[in-house]
Amino acid sequence: MTSEGGYHIIGGGIVGASIAYHIGRRTNDPVHVYEKGTLANETTKKSLAFFGFYGDETQYRMKQYGMELYNDFLSSPRADPGYVTTGRLNVATSEEGAEALRQDVEDRNTRLADADGKRADTSPVDFAEPHELKRSLVLPFLDTNTVTGGVFRPQVGYLRPREMAIEFIERARDEGVVFHENTAVTDLTVDDGVLSGLSVDGEERTADEVISAAGPWNPRVAAMANVDLPVKHTLAPVLELEPAEPIQYTIPWITHRESGFSIRRNADGSVLMTHHPPGKHADATEYDPDAVEDSVPTDLRQRGLDVLESLLPVTDTFDVVDERVGIRSSTPDGNPVVGWTRVDGFSVAAFSTSGIQLAPATGKVIAKQLLDNDPTSFYEGLSVSRFDSYVDHK
């Protein structure tokens, strides 16, 4: 067995890179990142990379740190992560959907009123009747005759996902972190609830800590450590559409409440359609990430195009020019599972979407846990022990 020790991170996407950066800048011990393909070229690259203040208190606080760090990175970028502010418009086309949007706003306002002044989201957010939408937003293509209501959140934009990951990677390398591409972790060594090593392309290495940041492969990696993660999967399909006539201005990220289909205009004028199913964690399933192809299922593609055409009739003239399919992870409460597990020496960073948004805070939380033995103020909201069937070792 090769003597190595130190910190070993499985997964070279933005989450693994953030963890490496946060640990590497605070320790002189070896830090290694293993990516079975090329860096930031799997789930991260397929992300639409939105950043916005929505979610519960845990996510708001994590995003505050993320926005602060991204502002720091963007002030002197190593790559070209960009940032485009679009806002997010959720629209409903049924009375039930409109009522759900109204309730979302009420719940948000109640939550923020109880936040003791520690508000992450300071933007005005309110329910809008259909006739109000075109009085307040640039939405020439939206068919308000089909819409029963909407909610606009101005503090939302998007980044270039792979380039944002490269920001972390380059800064981590400056701290001595070693990244290994085309390198697979095939097994973990656990004895009596303590992890002592890992197998890297068949070579055994000792390890002080192993952190799984493997995206949809997390359940598979965790199983190597005899840890059963409460993580399932949904498909994250993306169609790239080319308008017949260029759209010369930014339009909001528009999401259909009832179906989960959404549309976004890119800075280059292309348009992306994606789908986030509105069902619950119980409705999710499990996919083999290595077997999912970059071809959007025909029925899902057609349903999405039909929804978009009903909301924005102009999309009937758009051509599909590219497609890809990612795998979105899902947890029971919609928040990530981050940090210690009941196996000493094995930590996880498993998400329920929002990896781009929550990666910075995830890196900070894991670094503080592993280097300071500090559970952090996020512990109750992120630890796997919050689920009744899991018992934490700390």
Side-chain angles (χ1 to χ4, degrees), residues 99-386:
E99 182 55 36
L101 290 180
R102 289 190 185 92
Q103 190 61 52
D104 286 347
V105 173
E106 290 182 14
D107 292 345
R108 166 192 179 270
N109 292 338
T110 299
R111 182 177 64 250
L112 293 179
D114 296 336
D116 298 325
K118 298 178 181 178
R119 294 178 57 174
D121 185 355
T122 58
S123 61
V125 175
D126 202 358
F127 178 83
E129 298 290 346
H131 68 275
E132 297 175 321
L133 290 173
K134 287 191 177 179
R135 295 179 179 179
S136 54
L137 297 171
V138 177
L139 297 167
F141 300 134
L142 182 68
D143 184 359
T144 52
N145 291 323
T146 67
V147 173
T148 53
V151 173
F152 181 68
R153 295 175 181 271
Q155 288 183 248
V156 178
Y158 67 91
L159 301 149
R160 296 186 182 94
R162 190 168 190 272
E163 286 76 3
M164 195 71 248
I166 297 299
E167 288 289 328
F168 282 108
I169 291 168
E170 293 304 316
R171 293 165 195 268
R173 282 176 168 151
D174 289 347
E175 305 295 343
V177 174
V178 180
F179 289 83
H180 306 267
E181 294 185 287
N182 302 306
T183 304
V185 173
T186 54
D187 203 4
L188 301 175
T189 303
V190 177
D191 296 305
D192 296 326
V194 178
L195 186 145
S196 59
L198 67 166
S199 179
V200 181
D201 284 340
E203 178 187 359
E204 299 297 321
R205 301 186 182 186
T206 62
D208 296 319
E209 299 282 349
V210 170
I211 306 101
S212 181
W217 288 268
N218 269 321
R220 183 184 300 177
V221 174
M224 297 179 190
N226 300 317
V227 171
D228 182 19
L229 286 181
V231 173
K232 294 183 179 181
H233 299 137
T234 60
L235 292 181
V238 178
L239 289 181
E240 183 176 341
L241 310 174
E242 185 176 285
E245 297 292 336
I247 300 173
Q248 302 293 350
Y249 45 84
T250 298
I251 59 175
W253 168 28
I254 302 174
T255 300
H256 183 228
R257 171 77 188 203
E258 287 83 355
S259 70
F261 287 101
S262 65
I263 188 170
R264 184 193 88 195
R265 176 190 178 275
N266 279 337
D268 65 4
S270 63
V271 173
L272 300 181
M273 182 197 84
T274 189
H275 182 244
H276 191 160
K280 299 180 180 179
H281 173 76
D283 300 322
T285 185
E286 295 182 20
Y287 290 99
D288 176 357
D290 296 317
V292 174
E293 299 181 354
D294 273 336
S295 179
V296 178
T298 302
D299 61 333
L300 194 63
R301 170 199 293 251
Q302 193 57 53
R303 283 195 292 123
L305 294 174
D306 288 345
V307 167
L308 292 186
E309 185 180 343
S310 69
L311 293 172
L312 301 112
V314 69
T315 59
D316 181 43
T317 67
F318 291 10
D319 292 324
V320 177
V321 295
D322 200 5
E323 60 188 304
R324 61 183 183 266
V325 178
I327 300 179
R328 185 186 296 109
S329 297
S330 171
T331 64
D333 62 3
N335 279 341
V337 174
V338 173
W340 294 316
T341 68
R342 56 187 161 199
V343 172
D344 280 304
F346 180 68
S347 298
V348 296
F351 285 76
S352 189
T353 75
S354 303
I356 300 291
Q357 306 184 64
L358 305 181
T362 294
K364 182 178 181 180
V365 166
I366 287 183
K368 289 184 71 65
Q369 287 188 0
L370 301 188
L371 298 174
D372 303 329
N373 199 34
D374 177 2
T376 80
S377 62
F378 292 103
Y379 184 79
E380 291 186 0
L382 298 180
S383 172
V384 69
S385 64
R386 71 186 186 269

Side-chain angles (χ1 to χ4, degrees), residues 72-89:
D72 181 46
F73 283 6
L74 290 169
S75 67
S76 56
R78 306 291 184 85
D80 184 20
Y83 183 81
V84 178
T85 300
T86 62
R88 179 186 186 187
L89 177 65

